[in-house]
Amino acid sequence: MAPKTMREKLFEYAAERYGAQPEYLWERTPQHGVLRRRDNEKWFAVIMLVDGSKIGREKGVIYDIVNIKCSPLMTGSLLAMKGIVPAYHMNKENWVSVLLDGSVDETQVMSLLDMSYELAGQSGRAVRR
């Protein structure tokens, strides 16, 4: 059996900790998924495969990334870390992209996911069903 990818570990962690399952919303990019809070339906992670040219890396190389929400006060510090780059396709003050290639260790990835989950719960009203 092949070892789990960081993407698989992230999904497993989100399911166990938050009851969040990836949602695949875009027909044109079926490998791109979102994780959202159950209480207010806000996204706390966006998982994508992107060309390196989109994130300041080598063109033609596909990277597995997760966009996570962060405090604007932390963005600069996070971007100084290996494997964390300005958010692809999101507000670059409130989101960063984390490479899921092992350059950021698993514990740190999950800690960042926890932070993102908490931040996504701080604004907006809960959605009632």
Side-chain angles (χ1 to χ4, degrees), residues 71-90:
S71 162
L73 299 173
M74 291 185 66
T75 304
S77 297
L78 290 172
L79 292 174
M81 297 173 64
K82 181 181 178 191
I84 300 180
V85 298
Y88 170 68
H89 214 280
M90 301 289 274

Side-chain angles (χ1 to χ4, degrees), residues 1-2 13 15 33-34 37 39 41 44 55 61-64 66-67 75 80-81 90 96 103 110 119 125-126:
M1 180 183 288
Y13 181 83
V34 301
R37 290 181 60 107
D39 58 355
E41 297 193 4
F44 66 96
I55 56 170
V61 176
I62 302 301
Y63 288 85
D64 202 7
V66 60
N67 283 353
T75 304
M81 297 173 64
M90 301 289 274
V96 293
S103 57
M110 301 318 165
L119 288 168
R125 298 189 339 243

Side-chain angles (χ1 to χ4, degrees), residues 49-65 85-86 88 99:
L49 293 172
V50 298
D51 187 277
S53 64
K54 307 283 187 194
I55 56 170
R57 297 287 198 256
E58 185 179 348
K59 183 178 182 172
V61 176
I62 302 301
Y63 288 85
D64 202 7
I65 65 168
V85 298
Y88 170 68
L99 279 62

Side-chain angles (χ1 to χ4, degrees), residues 3-128:
K4 291 181 183 175
T5 65
M6 188 67 78
R7 177 186 278 237
E8 291 168 329
K9 291 176 185 179
L10 187 139
F11 286 156
E12 191 173 273
Y13 181 83
E16 289 174 9
R17 185 153 177 123
Y18 303 114
Q21 297 294 327
E23 298 175 43
Y24 298 96
L25 306 174
W26 303 286
E27 192 173 308
R28 286 183 43 212
T29 53
Q31 70 281 16
H32 295 191
V34 301
L35 293 171
R36 63 171 95 219
R37 290 181 60 107
R38 293 169 65 184
D39 58 355
N40 65 8
E41 297 193 4
K42 291 194 177 279
W43 296 359
F44 66 96
V46 184
I47 299 86
M48 298 176 274
L49 293 172
V50 298
D51 187 277
S53 64
K54 307 283 187 194
I55 56 170
R57 297 287 198 256
E58 185 179 348
K59 183 178 182 172
V61 176
I62 302 301
Y63 288 85
D64 202 7
I65 65 168
V66 60
N67 283 353
I68 57 108
K69 194 169 184 66
C70 66
S71 162
L73 299 173
M74 291 185 66
T75 304
S77 297
L78 290 172
L79 292 174
M81 297 173 64
K82 181 181 178 191
I84 300 180
V85 298
Y88 170 68
H89 214 280
M90 301 289 274
N91 178 307
K92 290 173 181 25
E93 283 185 30
N94 298 308
W95 293 81
V96 293
S97 291
V98 179
L99 279 62
L100 298 178
D101 63 357
S103 57
V104 179
D105 77 31
E106 181 179 341
T107 304
Q108 184 69 30
V109 171
M110 301 318 165
S111 177
L112 291 167
L113 189 69
D114 291 337
M115 176 186 68
S116 186
Y117 182 86
E118 291 303 317
L119 288 168
Q122 291 180 1
S123 60
R125 298 189 339 243
V127 175
R128 300 198 188 261

